[in-house]
Amino acid sequence: MKRATFSTILCLVASIAFAQTINVNLSEKPVTNGFADLGKLSYGKKVITIDDSTYPNPIEKRKAFTKAISARASTTIILSGDIDLSDGAITDDDHSYFDKFEENTGKRQHEDFMYKIESNKTILGKENARIKFGGLDFSTGKNLIIRNVTFWDAHGSTEYSTKVKSESKASADALVIWDKKSAVPSDIWIDHCTFTDGKCEDLQRNFNHDGSIDICGAKNMTISFCEFTNHDKVLLVGSSEKFSEQKERQVTLHHNYFHHVTQRLPRSRGTQMHIYNNVYDDIGVENNGGYMFGPGTGSQYIVENNYLGTHLEAIVSYFDKTSGNGSTFSHFFQSGNSQEITEKDVKWDKTENAIKFSQHFVSSKDDMPWKIGYKYEMTSYNEAYEKVMNEGVGANATLNIEK
């Protein structure tokens, strides 16, 4: 096991102790320092507030929230306090709602709590905004912004009882970006959010959770200053081998903090993935060693100036099965990270053993897999580490909102 320069405990304390103040002007175009800057990103025009004083009944508050996100109007939702998507069916201490299966078939009795988001929606969290015990689904839409919100324990169950089908897995996601009928969602910014399984430990095998964020398709998407913790399968980009067109999944990850997680940071197929100035630490647990990066078919990575800290197993798990002269053959450009990724840091898929490390991995800027078309402010990995740990990531920011 490789040890980080700084201890995980100090990292966690630092992220909690320092909160950032963010000024939001709803009339200005957001700047994300990532792919989303190439789209038509804007805050919602109609501004509404959903809080406990307006909606003291938690079920009525949930209904107001899910009605607002599913409406056609361009809307900014200023959210504070909890939104319990389960309407009280589960709690931190009682998940038994999802322990029930049909006696004959073993199929689960209760589906996940998932709610659809329409286009042109902004969710801005204030005063500990938290969406818990379920997830949100953004399908074929455009223009989504979520800032300063905690996604807490998007709980579910395996599709079938593991007594009947031992390999059955959960499908509950905190946030799904899903393309249907070839309509690819676009112009998406997830910023200063926290994704966690809360008080539930599900790290060795996903009995109750699937992804923190699952992306089937997303043009012009930025994920920035988010915290991902206490979760197994964190970030999936492209859910099967049929997702091979890179320009349908254009994602930037910057200044995110991945810690006490195991894998898929990200796992991908068919993507232009720009990963810079992130902090990775405490990756993997006993019996689930995990990995940081999981490029598969058609994955074109640019990985720059990241802090690669403590990890139990591999930094990269490689899944690409295509040949070296194929159009979907993947490439991994690396530069300026806290350590150079060499062949000993890579775990290969079984069908990949015959392909040489040097065919995938490049360090010359002349060989970068595509040209970055947006402006971004990148620092050294040391400076990025200090920024992430001392200025704070996740949903601890104070938002000053100017309407």
Side-chain angles (χ1 to χ4, degrees), residues 7 18 31 56 69 89 137 153 179 197 223 228 235 242 319 336 354 392:
S7 75
F18 296 94
V31 177
I69 64 173
D137 179 348
D153 193 5
D179 60 336
D197 292 349
I223 302 172
F228 297 89
L235 180 58
K242 71 178 182 179
F319 298 94

Side-chain angles (χ1 to χ4, degrees), residues 7 28 50 60 107 129 135:
S7 75
E28 295 180 351
I50 297 179
E60 294 304 315
K107 186 175 177 59

Side-chain angles (χ1 to χ4, degrees), residues 86-321:
S86 80
D87 288 342
I90 60 176
T91 68
D92 283 329
D93 300 317
D94 184 3
H95 300 108
S96 59
Y97 179 86
F98 283 113
D99 294 338
K100 298 176 175 62
F101 299 89
E102 298 292 344
E103 185 175 349
N104 294 329
T105 64
K107 186 175 177 59
R108 65 181 182 179
Q109 291 185 12
H110 297 128
E111 297 296 320
D112 305 330
F113 295 105
M114 294 294 299
Y115 288 90
K116 183 177 175 58
I117 313 176
E118 283 288 350
S119 295
N120 301 310
K121 293 298 178 293
T122 299
I123 305 172
L124 300 178
K126 296 190 75 174
E127 300 170 5
N128 301 314
R130 185 169 64 158
I131 297 170
K132 61 183 185 178
F133 306 140
L136 304 181
D137 179 348
F138 187 63
S139 302
T140 69
K142 297 181 178 180
N143 193 27
L144 173 66
I145 300 172
I146 306 176
R147 304 186 71 183
N148 206 41
V149 175
T150 293
F151 288 80
W152 180 271
D153 193 5
H155 210 90
S157 68
T158 52
E159 296 286 342
Y160 288 85
S161 168
T162 54
K163 295 178 181 179
V164 175
K165 295 186 178 182
S166 61
E167 295 303 311
S168 186
K169 298 177 182 179
S171 58
D173 302 306
L175 179 62
V176 178
I177 314 296
W178 184 260
D179 60 336
K180 295 180 179 178
K181 297 179 180 179
S182 300
V184 180
S186 65
D187 310 341
I188 303 164
W189 187 23
I190 312 301
D191 177 65
H192 278 91
C193 289
T194 295
F195 293 84
T196 176
D197 292 349
K199 294 184 179 180
C200 181
E201 284 281 338
D202 199 21
L203 291 170
Q204 291 194 354
R205 186 187 183 289
N206 56 325
F207 289 103
N208 298 111
H209 306 85
D210 192 11
S212 293
I213 305 177
D214 272 10
I215 303 167
C216 285
K219 293 181 180 179
N220 300 328
M221 181 172 184
T222 303
I223 302 172
S224 57
F225 291 96
C226 289
E227 179 182 20
F228 297 89
T229 188
N230 188 28
H231 193 83
D232 179 16
K233 296 179 177 179
V234 175
L235 180 58
L236 177 65
V237 182
S239 57
S240 74
E241 296 300 312
K242 71 178 182 179
F243 295 99
S244 60
E245 174 51 54
Q246 293 94 344
K247 291 185 179 179
E248 291 184 357
R249 277 155 294 280
Q250 299 170 313
V251 183
T252 303
L253 304 177
H254 74 82
H255 294 94
N256 300 291
Y257 181 27
F258 299 90
H259 67 110
H260 191 50
V261 290
T262 59
Q263 59 183 312
R264 298 187 177 181
L265 316 175
R267 162 75 164 102
S268 66
R269 303 169 179 90
T271 181
Q272 292 179 337
M273 180 70 63
H274 187 196
I275 303 171
Y276 75 90
N277 278 172
N278 299 281
V279 173
Y280 295 84
D281 200 15
D282 187 18
I283 309 301
V285 295
E286 186 178 356
N287 299 322
N288 190 5
Y291 57 87
M292 298 178 196
F293 311 115
T297 302
S299 295
Q300 309 299 341
Y301 277 40
I302 296 176
V303 180
E304 303 180 286
N305 295 29
N306 299 280
Y307 178 83
L308 310 178
T310 306
H311 53 283
L312 278 180
E313 202 167 326
I315 294 178
V316 180
S317 187
Y318 228 107
F319 298 94
D320 186 9
K321 301 174 183 179

Side-chain angles (χ1 to χ4, degrees), residues 23-30 43 147 400-403:
N23 296 314
V24 178
N25 188 326
L26 298 181
S27 64
E28 295 180 351
K29 178 178 172 60
Y43 292 111
R147 304 186 71 183
N400 293 326
I401 301 171
E402 183 179 339
K403 298 181 182 180

